[in-house]
Amino acid sequence: MAATEIVRILGATRGHAFVLCTSNQSMTALYELVRSRIDYPCLVQGSMSKAGLVDRFRATPNAVLFATQSFWQGVDVRGKQLSCVVIDKLPFAVPSDPLVAARSRFIDENGGRSFTDYSVPQAIISLKQGIGRLIRSRTDRGVIAILDSRLRTKGYGRDFLASLPRMRITAEVEDVSEFFAVN
């Protein structure tokens, strides 16, 4: 379903997008499913250095870059070349990571609630970093597409939405098409 939605979004944006994934497995699967269904050049993390991918993305009209965690921050592409950032899932840390597990256990053992006190705030910070790839100058404009339905179906989804910059929120690809027709 995510691949189908990404194809629809990329059709509206005519490429010009980063597809930021929360895992290598998701990135590879989406890249394979999407690239054969669109007419835009597709790049994928791991095919060359990070700097090389960013340079290639900047130089390739209508490019789409599929990437994971290291592209959620520290990447600067200004102007219309990057007009859309698609995020596959909310970027929660892996609970089995030893550091995450230890911090969560500490919070729980001391009367806190590790999910709401640690996991959600950390994921919000990561999401804001990913979204920050889009607007790099005062004149940049674009669309953020977060495909994770938990934004609308879980109580903590409101926390994520409240943390975002003021923007119009929609669930309709037609609104994305309209945005790019005007801009």
Side-chain angles (χ1 to χ4, degrees):
M1 289 176 44
T4 299
E5 194 66 13
I6 291 168
V7 168
R8 293 179 65 212
I9 292 166
L10 295 175
T13 66
R14 295 184 245 1
H16 304 281
F18 279 3
V19 178
L20 299 179
C21 302
T22 55
S23 72
N24 286 327
Q25 181 180 352
S26 179
M27 175 192 69
T28 302
L30 289 172
Y31 171 74
E32 292 298 332
L33 289 167
V34 171
R35 73 180 176 139
S36 63
R37 296 169 54 190
I38 62 173
D39 292 327
Y40 308 114
C42 291
L43 308 168
V44 65
Q45 183 179 345
S47 62
M48 64 179 70
S49 72
K50 181 178 178 179
L53 279 171
V54 172
D55 289 345
R56 174 84 46 93
F57 180 85
R58 283 186 183 119
T60 307
N62 306 92
V64 179
L65 172 63
F66 292 79
T68 60
Q69 191 63 39
S70 66
F71 280 81
W72 286 64
Q73 56 189 340
V75 177
D76 189 2
V77 178
R78 295 175 188 227
K80 290 185 177 185
Q81 183 58 19
L82 180 59
S83 300
C84 179
V85 172
V86 179
I87 295 175
D88 71 334
K89 293 180 184 174
L90 296 175
F92 285 104
V94 178
S96 60
D97 175 273
L99 186 57
V100 173
R103 286 182 176 158
S104 296
R105 188 171 43 258
F106 177 82
I107 292 167
D108 291 338
E109 289 172 354
N110 288 283
R113 298 180 327 223
S114 61
F115 184 74
T116 55
D117 297 341
Y118 175 66
S119 296
V120 169
Q122 290 298 311
I124 287 172
I125 290 168
S126 293
L127 180 66
K128 289 170 76 171
Q129 289 172 330
I131 287 170
R133 299 314 92 222
L134 183 63
I135 306 299
R136 305 305 296 169
S137 74
R138 295 175 64 75
T139 58
D140 285 349
R141 299 177 52 96
V143 169
I144 301 293
I146 305 170
L147 304 183
D148 196 323
S149 64
R150 294 177 291 181
L151 277 177
R152 295 182 308 280
T153 62
K154 299 293 184 184
Y156 58 80
R158 287 186 300 277
D159 296 333
F160 281 90
L161 292 171
S163 75
L164 301 177
R166 284 181 22 108
M167 63 182 82
R168 181 173 173 216
I169 296 175
T170 184
E172 304 300 324
V173 173
E174 292 76 19
D175 293 334
V176 176
S177 295
E178 182 179 304
F179 175 84
F180 281 97
V182 173
N183 290 297

